[in-house]
Amino acid sequence: DEKVTFSGGQFQLDADRDGKNISLKGQAGSGQIDALNEYNQKVQLRFVNLTTDGATELASFNERIGQQKMTLDKLAISVEGKELALIDGMALDGGSTLTQDGKGVNSQVNYTVNSLKLQGQDMGSGKLTLKVDNVDGQAWHQFSQQYSAQSQALLAKPELAQNPELYQQALTETLFNALPILLKGNPSVTISPLSWRNAKGESTLNLSVLLKDPAQVTAPPQTLADSLDRVVQTLDGKVVIPVDMATEFMTKIAGLEGYQPADAAKLADQQVKGLAAMGQMFRITTMEDNAITSSLQYADGQVTLNGQKMPLDEFAGMFGLALPAVSEPAAPQETQPQDDAPQDVVPPAAPQQ
């Protein structure tokens, strides 16, 4: 049985007469959802103190830009009365503004989790800052319209409407087919950072990618570098995983799997050391200041991996990846005139004794 309970809240929606400017602000004290999962187990989701505050306006290309903030003091997930996950202090702060010429959009999303506990184990805290800059406004509108229309068309197909899994696959394919539209204007994507912290340290990922509109290139790709250069101008990324932090994290994971503390710590130490050794063996990672690190840069067909520069084909070969060679088209063969006169038939040779 599904049941939703809600303590109530106050929300205020304001809009101008044309609907171009809209704002929403409010707060809900608590809520709870009870349902059954696929194994017929009772699942309960509870939240405490949800707040939202945002305002948007309609830009000249008929898409909305603005600011939006959401916070949640607590989110708990339980199965059969046992608490599996507890998130404290979750916040989402996003915004989008016009570029200087008013024809594009710059967006940024900040996401934070102050604490995550799994079955009572303190797993740490995390944050993400994602920026997407210089998205062409008209391309964004075209993408939005196309994706919306094709998504609605999928619902009209009975074989998809009755099968959520197939519908989700088709929806994902529709999304990825439409994504190249957003590359008009050569946007950039930056993650700075994606991080996770526990009592022993903080792991971070920083990534910056400057993209390119593939429509600017009409010639078919001849190499792997040609294929990547159609959509990527530059890429710069770095991962840093402190050994102590990773060992602490894997110790908690082993504890969740049922290992006793001493055995969990021993297993985690072996796993992290094995990961570091394997990364170094395949030249994917290095060790710096007791941290597993990896840096990667790309531009114009050249890759720099942990300071070592190489062609893209060599880098791809490290992972067994390659683009099939494009063969030259065969020259047309000259057609020999056929003689209408019958040819002598040569009898087959008699078998030798």
Side-chain angles (χ1 to χ4, degrees), residues 114-128:
N114 291 339
S115 172
L116 169 65
K117 292 182 180 179
L118 300 178
Q119 298 182 27
Q121 296 267 22
D122 186 0
M123 304 303 295
S125 60
K127 60 183 177 180
L128 165 67

Side-chain angles (χ1 to χ4, degrees), residues 105-149:
V105 177
N106 296 329
S107 302
Q108 178 172 328
V109 174
N110 302 307
Y111 179 69
T112 58
V113 173
N114 291 339
S115 172
L116 169 65
K117 292 182 180 179
L118 300 178
Q119 298 182 27
Q121 296 267 22
D122 186 0
M123 304 303 295
S125 60
K127 60 183 177 180
L128 165 67
T129 296
L130 172 65
K131 297 180 181 180
V132 181
D133 291 333
N134 205 39
V135 174
D136 183 84
Q138 294 295 343
W140 180 15
H141 183 63
Q142 180 186 348
F143 165 83
S144 177
Q145 295 291 100
Q146 177 176 317
Y147 178 69
S148 177

Side-chain angles (χ1 to χ4, degrees), residues 5-25:
T5 56
F6 186 51
S7 68
Q10 293 184 341
F11 293 90
Q12 180 177 334
L13 176 65
D14 294 313
D16 60 16
R17 61 183 302 174
D18 297 325
K20 292 183 177 180
N21 296 281
I22 298 176
S23 65
L24 175 64
K25 182 177 182 180

Side-chain angles (χ1 to χ4, degrees), residues 307-352:
Q308 297 184 353
K309 194 170 184 177
M310 65 189 79
L312 179 61
D313 287 341
E314 180 181 337
F315 174 76
M318 294 172 59
F319 305 95
L321 304 174
L323 185 71
V326 180
S327 58
E328 294 293 331
Q333 297 182 353
E334 294 184 4
T335 304
Q336 299 295 331
Q338 299 293 324
D339 191 347
D340 293 337
Q343 301 295 319
D344 293 337
V345 176
V346 180
Q352 297 182 356

Side-chain angles (χ1 to χ4, degrees), residues 137-262:
Q138 294 295 343
W140 180 15
H141 183 63
Q142 180 186 348
F143 165 83
S144 177
Q145 295 291 100
Q146 177 176 317
Y147 178 69
S148 177
Q150 293 181 353
S151 299
Q152 292 297 322
L154 292 177
L155 287 173
K157 298 181 178 181
E159 67 274 18
L160 297 180
Q162 298 171 8
N163 191 321
E165 185 175 343
L166 286 179
Y167 172 73
Q168 191 60 48
Q169 291 177 359
L171 196 63
T172 302
E173 183 178 349
T174 298
L175 173 64
F176 280 97
N177 287 340
L179 278 179
I181 297 173
L182 294 176
L183 297 181
K184 181 181 179 181
N186 304 331
S188 64
V189 179
T190 304
I191 297 175
S192 180
L194 168 61
S195 69
W196 194 261
R197 174 186 290 275
N198 62 23
K200 298 295 184 179
E202 182 177 26
S203 292
T204 59
L205 164 67
N206 289 276
L207 177 66
S208 178
V209 184
L210 180 58
L211 299 168
K212 182 190 299 184
D213 182 5
Q216 296 175 352
V217 182
T218 56
Q222 301 296 314
T223 65
L224 183 60
D226 288 346
S227 298
L228 187 57
D229 286 344
R230 292 169 72 92
V231 293
V232 175
Q233 296 187 53
T234 61
L235 180 148
D236 187 359
K238 186 172 184 178
V239 176
V240 179
I241 306 174
V243 170
D244 293 343
M245 180 272 174
T247 303
E248 173 75 3
F249 185 84
M250 294 308 298
T251 299
K252 296 293 181 68
I253 294 297
L256 293 173
E257 295 174 348
Y259 287 88
Q260 294 300 313

